[in-house]
Amino acid sequence: MEEKSFLKQKIDKESPNRNIVPVTTSIEVDGKLSVGGCSIEELVNKYDTPLYILDEITLRKSCKAYKNALEKYYPGKSLPIYASKANSSIFMSNLVSSEGLGLDAVSEGELLTALKGGVPNEKIVFHGNNKSDKEIEFAVRNNIKIIVDNDYDLKRLEKISNLLNHDLEIMIRFTPGIECHTHEYIRTGSFDSKFGFGIEYLNTLFAKISGTKYLKLKGLHAHIGSQIFELEPHKDLGEIMVKVILAAKKFGHNIDELNVGGGLGIKYTESDDPPSIDEWVKTISSSVVEACKKNNLEFPTLMCEPGRSIVSTAGITIYKIGAFKEIPGIRTYLSVDGGMSDNPRPITYQSNYSACLVNNPFNIDSKNKYTVAGKHCESGDVLFKEIELADCKTGDLICVFGTGAYNISMSSNYNRIPRPAALLVHEGEAEIIQKRESPFDLLKYDVLPDRFIKRN
Ligand code: LLP
């Protein structure tokens, strides 16, 4: 019997982003897959499919890895901040905050979710390249630090601070001009980006801020992209940021917070080999420490904003297999009961994942190649262009790994398909953290104008 499986790989317990599967993944005596001590098949019997599952231990290990590494390489003056766009919920806000992390939000919705989840206001930062007046007011009223992205933000904050008649601390986001190897849609640090001030504009900006009565430039922010495996760009970023602190000094600004963004990649497939959280933090910390020492600069507080590497590996999605369609000599389509509405990443970024059958996770005797299609009315709704699986049939379950980040948070109701439920698993217990939508929920905001009702 031949066994081909990524499930055989040794688990890195310290840095979950280096594994394909959650750290608690195991195979039960009956040969079936379990995560967080829960049999996936039993969870499906109770909660149906498609089903998002998050493993608490993996989540906590990722948070601790950032906390511990920052403590080790940058003692006493750091804050890891969870980028909630990766997976925003009251539960996630609560969990990261219980691990001592802060949270980054980019909309009133994410801000509200963070506050409801119990993240302390002073540990929240508010981003966005087109914040509304309402969002800015909400953040100011709640004492949430705003990351100024452009002149439009600056103008409105100056106005608000004048009205309030007191100091307002701000951070500014700039584009450091660093190129990194990742999909162009998720690359943000190069000069041609919609986010942040261009580095060449910073002196003008510093002068502008000096000219305001109440704005206090507290910190700098830059984020160079996402799903990055190289360490060099973050080393460069640390150095550039310290140079910017020095430039700001000439205008009388004492910047004492550096936020280096997120971006550390995760292992989606066997060919992915991201650095560990420890290595990533070490690189960025040493780069800042060395640059500060060289320039006789007091160490600023160091912040980073991981999203994917906190939550992605903790998450899996379970689908039920439905229709098969064999096109002789070409391919066999296997269709599942979800797809691009619960995971838009393959169709958006051509992202690759790893998957296995729940009742044959080691893929014993795999001999079939399938194209795994979603159920949406779109030819590109394909989760796997080609995957090798053992014999499977309608009704079997398939588990896709690494779906904790940018799946539920980017999900949609395309084709009026309700969003799956999300569960948390821990030590054999499963709890709902997001309820399954029903088709009726989707009607909630539809309105038929009165005159149409009369006409019918
Ligand atoms: N900070 C800022 C300002 C960001 O824009 C992002 C991600 C992060 C932190 C977190 O980056 P991470 O650690 O997750 O790489 N939807 C895309 C990813 C978009 C990332 C957007 N910004 C995907 O599914 O790959």
Side-chain angles (χ1 to χ4, degrees), residues 83 85 104 173 186 223 226 263 305 307-308 345 349 406 410:
K85 68 208 78 182
D104 131 27
R173 176 172 183 169
I186 53 178
H223 169 78
S226 203
E305 277 172 354
R308 190 189 314 266
R345 298 193 70 257
Y349 318 113
Y406 304 114
M410 290 175 67

Side-chain angles (χ1 to χ4, degrees), residues 121-134:
N121 305 41
E122 67 279 8
K123 284 190 171 179
I124 303 178
V125 296
F126 182 43
H127 275 287
N129 63 308
N130 195 20
K131 305 169 183 84
S132 70
D133 291 349
K134 191 163 162 260

